[in-house]
Amino acid sequence: MVERLSRPSTVDYRGNGTRPAPIFSASEVERRHAGVRGILAAENIDAALFTSYHNICYLTGFLYCYFGRRYGLVLDQDNATTVTSAIDGGQPWRRSHCDNVSYTDWDKRNYFTAVRKLSKKAKRIGIEFDHVSLDFRQQLADAMPGVELVDIAASSMQLRMIKSKEEIAHITEMARIADLGGAACVEAIGVGVAEHEVALASTGAMVREIARTWPDAELMDTWTWFQSGINTDGAHNPVTSRRIESGDILSLNCFPMVGGYYVALERTLFAETASDTHLKYWEINCHVHDEGKKLLVPGNRCSDIAKELNEVYAHHDLLRYRTFGYGHSFGVLCHYYGREAGLELREDCDTVLEPGMVISMEPMIMVPEGRKGAGGYREHDILVITETGNTNITQFPYGPAHNIIRGKKKP
């Protein structure tokens, strides 16, 4: 009988290759760690176990690929260590600013074994209540008996809402790339062209520019939603193979992703021509967009901004067509992870704008199919809140004077 081989619960892939140039400096990451450590000290928490895409990426530079496996970052007053699956090899170590331990997957307890070793002296551990499932929380409790699990999701989100100079510079450069994606979209638009062909042209242009600008970056998650006709009724409707028709309302949505950071450019366009009713609604929405940007200044409250813009729509009897809030925070987020929910331009968010916040203005109305002027209208700029007002880092033009696209008819 062959003796069963002994297999370890963790393996060490540190040093497998060299670390490429990171997106952010070591001092920037240390600033972020210091912020978390301040929370731990203030709340008498011994260590934090972060499990979300956004917080692990924000605090280490590593963006994990879930694929049904667990990931984590254990951070205390002295150390920061990612806990990653052995399937990833040395990539988590190469892409992070901190230490790493890789767990093997031949025993379901191995992840918890690694976490327990890294936090063995902790009596109070902070976790993200808005990210962990009930099942996972119970597994943590079983693996670490006697340890109190407390919530740090909201306090860590507050740290992410105020951007550093490095973050603002990074987001600004990405906004430039989003504008390039928008230009590629416009160039590809034509009657008879399928939505996916326009989206591919935009995404390809952005990825190539990202590779040129950040030659050591991972190229992942950049995408484009290009919607036409009925598909414009939802802000997040996926790309289809529908072909553009003359007179179609169009929606351009470009999303470059670099280092887990999300940037967006969104514009309403029309193919060749727009009806008088379409033009009327489009111009009203652009007016709301202009008025909204004026309100993005320090001291203004998110809920008050939303209510004031509601009045503009109501004046034109269009408030019933508004579909979501007027804007949101930017940073580490994507369409499948992350959100700084404390900074959204909605009636139920009372956050006061502060310098260093980065927020969008993106009013949208959706006129249902079958009515004159049917379709979704949305303009989207990104603004940095400054000491005295704001800086708009989106440069792509909007409105009827610029975005009625009279391209060539395509097969």
Side-chain angles (χ1 to χ4, degrees), residues 185-376:
C185 258
V186 169
E187 181 66 25
I189 289 171
V191 171
V193 178
E195 289 178 2
H196 70 277
E197 294 294 347
V198 178
L200 286 170
S202 169
T203 301
M206 291 189 290
V207 170
R208 292 185 185 99
E209 183 62 15
I210 290 168
R212 188 193 69 81
T213 305
W214 291 278
D216 292 308
E218 294 176 318
L219 302 176
M220 57 186 291
D221 296 334
T222 293
W223 86 104
T224 301
W225 282 325
F226 177 77
Q227 302 140 347
S228 64
I230 185 63
N231 294 331
T232 65
D233 69 340
H236 302 156
N237 291 352
V239 170
T240 75
S241 58
R242 183 187 183 277
R243 294 184 180 274
I244 299 169
E245 300 176 7
S246 182
D248 269 349
I249 187 171
L250 310 172
S251 187
L252 171 162
N253 308 267
C254 301
F255 308 103
M257 293 287 297
V258 183
Y261 277 68
Y262 163 104
V263 162
L265 167 68
E266 301 171 12
R267 290 290 185 259
T268 300
L269 313 95
F270 277 82
E272 295 191 330
T273 185
S275 72
D276 289 343
T277 307
H278 279 110
L279 286 171
K280 174 186 174 183
Y281 291 157
W282 191 7
E283 288 169 347
I284 291 170
N285 204 57
C286 288
H287 174 62
V288 174
H289 185 56
D290 291 335
E291 293 303 305
K293 287 186 289 185
K294 296 175 185 176
L295 299 174
L296 296 181
V297 296
N300 276 359
R301 193 178 303 274
C302 290
S303 54
D304 293 337
I305 294 170
K307 292 171 185 174
E308 187 164 341
L309 295 179
N310 282 347
E311 292 296 323
V312 182
Y313 276 137
H315 175 75
H316 296 283
D317 195 27
L318 292 178
L319 185 56
R320 65 187 184 278
Y321 294 141
R322 181 191 148 201
T323 60
F324 60 86
Y326 290 97
H328 59 81
S329 182
F330 278 75
V332 180
L333 65 102
C334 188
H335 55 318
Y336 59 85
Y337 65 82
R339 190 74 164 188
E340 292 166 15
L343 184 53
E344 297 194 8
L345 300 176
R346 305 190 330 185
E347 295 87 338
D348 59 358
C349 180
D350 291 326
T351 300
V352 176
L353 298 183
E354 300 178 37
M357 291 178 170
V358 180
I359 191 166
S360 62
M361 175 50 59
E362 50 177 310
M364 178 176 178
I365 53 172
M366 190 278 284
V367 180
E369 194 73 1
R371 301 188 182 185
K372 287 186 177 181

Side-chain angles (χ1 to χ4, degrees), residues 108-127:
K108 293 180 179 178
R109 296 169 296 182
N110 288 351
Y111 170 86
F112 298 98
T113 298
V115 170
R116 188 170 59 245
K117 287 180 179 178
L118 292 171
S119 57
K120 57 186 176 182
K121 296 181 179 180
K123 297 301 181 183
R124 279 170 54 88
I125 294 180
I127 62 174

Side-chain angles (χ1 to χ4, degrees), residues 9 38 46 48 52 107-108 137-138 156 172 211 225 230 236 256 260 283 313 315 350 371 374 382 388-389:
S9 59
D46 300 310
S52 66
D107 188 320
K108 293 180 179 178
R137 182 173 178 178
Q138 186 59 54
S156 61
T172 301
W225 282 325
I230 185 63
H236 302 156
E283 288 169 347
Y313 276 137
H315 175 75
D350 291 326
R371 301 188 182 185
I382 301 171
T388 58

